[in-house]
Amino acid sequence: MTMPIINAPAVFAASALAALFVFSAVSAAHSEAPFILAHKKVSLTKLSSGTERVSVTIDVYNHGSETAYDVTLTDNSWDPELFYSVSGNASMSWKKLEVASVVSHSFELECGVKATYYSSPALITYRVATKSKLQEAYSTPILPLEILSEKAVQDKLGLAKSLMAKYGSHISVVLIVAFFANAVASPSKSSAGGGKKKH
């Protein structure tokens, strides 16, 4: 069953957020406060059961000049109708995040529906010692996920074929030389072993 998920506004929002992320990172150097940067990364692994494992890791950095308190990470960008949890959960919290320190959180999901999925950035909230209002930050966006796509497999097969076409003769020569060297070495090893027995 093919169920493409198309979300054009999400793509625009992700691009705008990435630009804001870079601008904020530059301006943060001049502020006397915590500044949270978060990097979200996802890897896909096809399983024999016909599903795809989605491994999510989010690294959270304090790039500012003050400690951040009550840091909470939430990644609610995964549609529960498509993804189910395998290990871990999509949220985590830390009591504080010191200056120039980093924490990491990972969890795994599975999906059995072929689709192009757009996952929104994760939300990070934290408190500043001098302010009562809860502060917010967002992780970097990720590229659209091609769930259960055959493209990656086809690309690997195409690469293997092109390598064989280009270097096939070289590989054959190497294999023949290796086989010949092994054949020559084997009798010498046997005779060497026989010599030891005579002594």
Side-chain angles (χ1 to χ4, degrees), residues 27-51:
S27 61
H30 304 286
S31 64
E32 294 295 328
F35 183 74
I36 301 300
L37 300 177
H39 177 54
K40 179 178 177 179
K41 49 193 174 183
V42 177
S43 62
L44 301 177
T45 305
K46 285 189 178 180
L47 305 177
S48 58
S49 59
T51 61

Side-chain angles (χ1 to χ4, degrees), residues 152-169 171:
V153 177
Q154 292 173 357
D155 289 346
K156 289 180 181 179
L157 290 175
L159 177 61
K161 288 180 180 179
S162 64
L163 288 176
M164 285 300 295
K166 189 173 182 179
Y167 301 107
S169 58
I171 295 173

Side-chain angles (χ1 to χ4, degrees), residues 15-157:
S15 301
L17 188 62
L20 179 63
F21 179 86
V22 174
F23 174 77
S24 300
V26 173
S27 61
H30 304 286
S31 64
E32 294 295 328
F35 183 74
I36 301 300
L37 300 177
H39 177 54
K40 179 178 177 179
K41 49 193 174 183
V42 177
S43 62
L44 301 177
T45 305
K46 285 189 178 180
L47 305 177
S48 58
S49 59
T51 61
E52 188 129 25
R53 177 71 54 84
V54 182
S55 301
V56 183
T57 300
I58 304 172
D59 299 320
V60 183
Y61 307 82
N62 183 356
H63 192 64
S65 57
E66 299 289 341
T67 300
Y69 298 92
D70 300 326
V71 181
T72 299
L73 164 68
T74 306
D75 188 5
N76 289 331
S77 60
W78 307 99
D79 189 342
E81 294 185 1
L82 296 178
F83 300 91
Y84 59 92
S85 177
V86 175
S87 64
N89 54 67
S91 63
M92 178 58 96
S93 60
W94 299 271
K95 187 174 181 180
K96 62 181 179 178
L97 187 58
E98 302 284 355
V99 175
S101 61
V102 56
V103 290
S104 184
H105 178 61
S106 300
F107 57 94
E108 292 185 331
L109 308 165
E110 280 189 19
C111 179
V113 179
K114 185 177 181 180
T116 299
Y117 191 77
Y118 297 88
S119 175
S120 304
L123 170 66
I124 299 93
T125 60
Y126 60 98
R127 295 190 183 278
V128 180
T130 57
K131 297 180 181 180
S132 59
K133 185 179 178 180
L134 198 65
Q135 307 297 304
E136 293 185 351
Y138 291 89
S139 72
T140 53
I142 61 173
L143 294 174
L145 300 175
E146 299 292 339
I147 307 295
L148 293 175
S149 172
E150 298 297 328
K151 184 178 179 181
V153 177
Q154 292 173 357
D155 289 346
K156 289 180 181 179
L157 290 175

